[in-house]
């Protein structure tokens, strides 16, 4: 797997990771009916090098974290990079610490990157950010970051911190949602931060795109692979597609390790810019 280096973290990470929304249940509700299958998919992804795994306390009410924990047990710990998130209703100082400890317990290991899932609405941002710092001080997580934050809010969050810095931002970024392309994405690149692109396939929509399939034919790649490869060109961006089958997983991993030509990359950029929002 191709890697990218992130100065703010002082390390390289896989250019492509795995999402887990829907793995182990939905919004705060566990589903244990496909556990074996999910563990097998996650393990295959790690074997193929997509070893940055994104989960959250909210996904399946914590069951997604349990499945991630089970999957990573089969590998040396340093080979995987686990990202998880605290839900904004737990954004008060003590609640963040409780959530982080509970996530660590479900994962059965420390957290590599701990994020506030959405900007808190009922808690001062600095209270949450200082709690994230405490999560690092207690050895529960190695790095902290934010999700669904605008550039202004990222800067506000950073200004709250004294011991740590925001190492990563996880926002929605795909060919059909390019709000961050000229703002947060270049900012993370300049600051040496990791930008985790969620819903990079626009929940599967881009895999059906005929224009991308046509371009991909030249490279023997599918529409999904072209959509993900378009994102890989941004130095700070790591897309985290979620795959519900080994087939989709392996296809997604085939989006790394090659590059669209400059001309095709620009053609795709223009084509999607012309689409109505
Ligand atoms: P996504 O990765 O863009 O799309 C997932 C959908 O695409 C699934 O329905 C999947 O179907 C399908 N798919 C995957 N690979 C495919 C392929 N090669 N060909 C055709 N279809 C394919 O959307 P997402 O799950 O919303 O986003 C990815 C991850 O980002 C999530 O899982 C989660 O970890 C994270 N996320 C974070 C936030 C946040 O607020 N921070 C919000 C949303 C998502 P199958 O299941 O059948 O493979």
């Amino acid at each position: 797997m191709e890697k990218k280096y992130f100065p703010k973290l002082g390390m390289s990470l896989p250019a492509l990771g795995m999402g887990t929304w829907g793995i182990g249940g939905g919004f705060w509700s566990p589903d244990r009916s496909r556990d074996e299958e999910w563990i097998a998919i996650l393990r295959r992804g790690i074997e193929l090098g997509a070893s940055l795994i994104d989960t959250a306390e909210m996904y399946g009410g914590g069951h997604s974290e349990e499945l991630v924990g089970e999957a990573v047990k089969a590998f040396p710990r340093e080979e995987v990079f686990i990202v998880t998130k605290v839900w904004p209703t737990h954004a008060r100082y003590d609640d963040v610490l409780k959530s982080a400890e509970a996530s660590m317990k479900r994962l059965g290991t420390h957290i590599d990157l701990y994020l506030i899932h959405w900007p808190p609405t009922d808690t001062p941002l600095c209270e949450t950010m200082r709690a994230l710092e405490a999560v690092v001080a207690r050895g529960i997580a190695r790095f902290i970051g934010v999700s669904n934050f605008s550039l202004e809010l990222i800067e506000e969050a950073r200004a709250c911190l004294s011991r740590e810095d925001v190492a990563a931002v996880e926002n929605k970024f795909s060919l059909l949602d390019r709000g961050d392309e000229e703002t947060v994405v270049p900012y993370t690149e300049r600051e040496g931060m990791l930008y985790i692109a969620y819903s990079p396939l626009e929940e599967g929509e881009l895999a059906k795109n005929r224009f991308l399939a046509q371009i991909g034919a030249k490279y023997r790649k599918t529409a999904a692979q072209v959509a993900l490869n378009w994102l890989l060109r941004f130095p700070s961006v790591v897309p985290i597609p979620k795959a519900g089958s080994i087939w989709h997983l392996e296809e997604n991993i085939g989006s790394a390790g090659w590059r669209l030509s400059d001309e095709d990359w620009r053609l795709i950029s223009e084509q999607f810019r012309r689409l109505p929002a």
Side-chain angles (χ1 to χ4, degrees), residues 57-170:
E57 63 169 354
M58 180 271 274
Y59 298 176
H63 189 47
S64 168
E65 291 179 326
E66 288 168 350
L67 293 173
V68 170
E70 192 55 38
V72 305
K73 263 191 201 160
F75 299 87
R77 180 62 182 86
E78 64 279 9
E79 280 181 20
V80 288
F81 189 88
I82 303 173
V83 184
T84 193
K85 323 182 198 75
V86 54
W87 194 245
T89 48
H90 299 154
R92 301 307 302 240
Y93 190 92
D94 289 343
D95 293 338
V96 170
L97 285 165
K98 266 191 227 151
S99 280
E101 270 165 17
S103 286
M104 182 165 81
K105 200 161 167 216
R106 286 189 291 268
L107 289 162
T109 181
H110 68 270
I111 299 159
D112 290 292
L113 173 64
Y114 199 47
L115 309 174
I116 173 73
H117 206 142
W118 285 87
T121 47
D122 302 328
T123 307
L125 181 57
C126 282
E127 179 175 336
T128 306
M129 296 312 295
R130 280 197 291 270
L132 291 179
E133 268 184 334
V135 167
V136 175
R138 292 187 186 191
I140 301 169
R142 295 167 68 199
F143 303 104
I144 56 172
V146 295
S147 179
N148 297 298
F149 273 48
S150 65
L151 193 47
E152 295 68 30
L153 264 184
I154 297 167
E155 299 230 288
E156 216 180 290
R158 290 181 83 184
C160 298
L161 299 169
S162 51
R163 291 175 307 218
E164 304 296 327
D165 195 0
V166 168
V169 178
E170 178 172 316

Side-chain angles (χ1 to χ4, degrees), residues 20-21 54 147-148 170 198-199 201 203 240 242 244 248 252:
T20 63
W21 169 239
D54 175 71
S147 179
N148 297 298
E170 178 172 316
Y198 80 67
S199 304
L201 293 173
E203 297 176 7
I240 48 161
K242 174 257 172 178
H248 278 170
N252 295 343

